[in-house]
Amino acid sequence: MAIRIDGKAISAQIKDELKEKVAAYRQQGVEITLAVIQVGNDPASSVYVGNKKKACEYIGIRSLAYELPEETSRKELLDLIAELNGRADVNGILVQLPLPKHLNEEEVLLAISPLKDVDGFHPVNVGNLSIGRKGFVSCTPAGVIELLKRTGIEMEGKECVVLGRSNIVGKPMSMLMLRENATVTVCHSRTKNLKEITKRADILIVAIGKPCFVTADYVKPGAAVIDVGIHRNEDNKLCGDVAFAQVEPVAGAITPVPGGVGPMTIAMLMKNCVESVNLQKS
């Protein structure tokens, strides 16, 4: 039976480490501040924003909440971001996605200073990652690396398959695995002979956005399987991109949904906020 990788426990460990760092900064007179902007009241976004505020409170990061009405104009939003970019007392800026349809997400994310882009979505930070320079790393892929490291799963020299090529998970994930000296293959909806490729993987990272897509016949016995997906099935229960009950007996290690990758995303966002202090000094 596979080791269940406990994202809740690992994220709690990271938050406790960060809490100590924030307390040490505070003794030096440094207060870390995250500004969170939410436009409209999408219920899922409100839950995520609430979780981020709770994490800030626990770690000791000051959070500024900007809850803007659905009809907020492009100019109002961009003016607010420009103001926060210029504020010396704000270390991180986060715009909760999705935005209402009349606002251009790409334009809004580009408006955030790369030095305050704690989500790691700005092209400057993506570019820094691809050439190995310092910068903010997208939180979910960074969380996957921490899960693997803290579970003692060796990445160096291992065959890793990333299923999915999104800008938020698949692409940065492949670059982070390369940084850890894994041999990386990226698969996607047009990949031929998908099962043959995924069955070679020592580490299979699934971020394809299809509920329970990966079944036991995609998995090499003993592989580490990381499930980034989150959905609700026909019984309204949370599930991932991996058919957990089928894959668990074959895998060597596996993340559950919920309680696997999910908690790590917020933990790594908090880590980016704490690291912003040094990035902004240099």
Side-chain angles (χ1 to χ4, degrees):
M1 191 61 84
I3 297 162
R4 283 196 190 195
I5 301 173
D6 188 344
K8 271 189 184 169
I10 294 170
S11 69
Q13 195 181 25
I14 291 168
K15 284 180 197 165
D16 285 340
E17 291 164 14
L18 292 172
K19 195 177 186 175
E20 282 181 29
K21 282 189 183 175
V22 170
Y25 273 127
R26 191 165 278 144
Q27 284 181 335
Q28 298 165 29
V30 177
E31 181 165 48
I32 300 170
T33 300
L34 171 67
V36 181
I37 302 169
Q38 183 183 356
V39 185
N41 54 3
D42 175 75
S45 291
S46 298
V47 170
Y48 289 133
V49 167
N51 288 341
K52 286 164 188 172
K53 284 183 198 164
K54 274 185 214 154
C56 283
E57 204 176 311
Y58 179 75
I59 290 162
I61 292 172
R62 181 172 74 124
S63 71
L64 305 175
Y66 295 88
E67 286 155 8
L68 308 178
E70 184 89 19
E71 60 278 8
T72 297
S73 71
R74 167 184 175 272
K75 185 179 184 308
E76 285 168 324
L77 180 55
L78 293 177
D79 284 353
L80 173 59
I81 292 169
E83 180 203 319
L84 294 169
N85 280 338
R87 276 177 60 173
D89 67 326
V90 172
N91 303 86
I93 302 167
L94 187 151
V95 176
Q96 184 63 44
L97 303 179
L99 288 169
K101 289 200 164 45
H102 67 282
L103 297 168
N104 181 323
E105 284 184 4
E106 191 178 350
E107 181 185 35
V108 169
L109 295 177
L110 273 172
I112 298 169
S113 161
L115 289 173
K116 297 191 178 187
D117 161 47
V118 285
D119 259 334
F121 295 161
H122 195 285
V124 167
N125 285 319
V126 175
N128 283 337
L129 171 61
S130 71
I131 60 172
R133 288 180 59 180
K134 277 188 177 176
F136 293 117
V137 176
S138 186
C139 301
T140 301
V144 170
I145 296 291
E146 284 293 322
L147 282 179
L148 292 166
K149 282 184 175 172
R150 290 176 187 241
T151 311
I153 293 166
E154 186 70 41
M155 290 173 267
E156 187 164 333
K158 294 297 166 78
E159 183 121 14
C160 170
V161 172
V162 178
L163 198 42
R165 56 175 167 180
S166 72
N167 291 337
I168 291 172
V169 181
K171 288 175 189 169
M173 191 73 252
S174 62
M175 287 189 277
L176 284 174
M177 290 304 290
L178 284 172
R179 194 188 270 187
E180 298 297 330
N181 299 315
T183 300
V184 183
T185 305
V186 179
C187 296
H188 44 79
S189 57
R190 305 293 171 87
T191 300
K192 292 188 167 66
N193 307 319
L194 184 60
K195 284 181 189 175
E196 285 173 31
I197 298 166
T198 58
K199 278 197 100 143
R200 294 202 310 256
D202 301 305
I203 301 167
L204 177 60
I205 299 167
V206 188
I208 203 167
K210 292 183 178 177
C212 300
F213 179 86
V214 169
T215 49
D217 50 345
Y218 282 82
V219 179
K220 172 183 176 177
V225 179
I226 308 291
D227 188 352
V228 180
I230 188 152
H231 316 274
R232 286 203 177 271
N233 64 16
E234 55 276 12
D235 303 324
N236 206 33
K237 284 190 175 157
L238 289 172
C239 66
D241 289 353
V242 174
F244 185 88
Q246 278 194 48
V247 172
E248 188 184 24
V250 179
I254 189 168
T255 57
V257 176
V261 174
M264 295 300 292
T265 301
I266 290 180
M268 300 316 286
L269 171 68
M270 296 298 112
K271 189 168 190 257
N272 278 349
C273 289
V274 174
E275 286 178 358
S276 69
V277 177
N278 285 330
L279 271 173
Q280 286 155 13
K281 271 185 202 163
S282 53

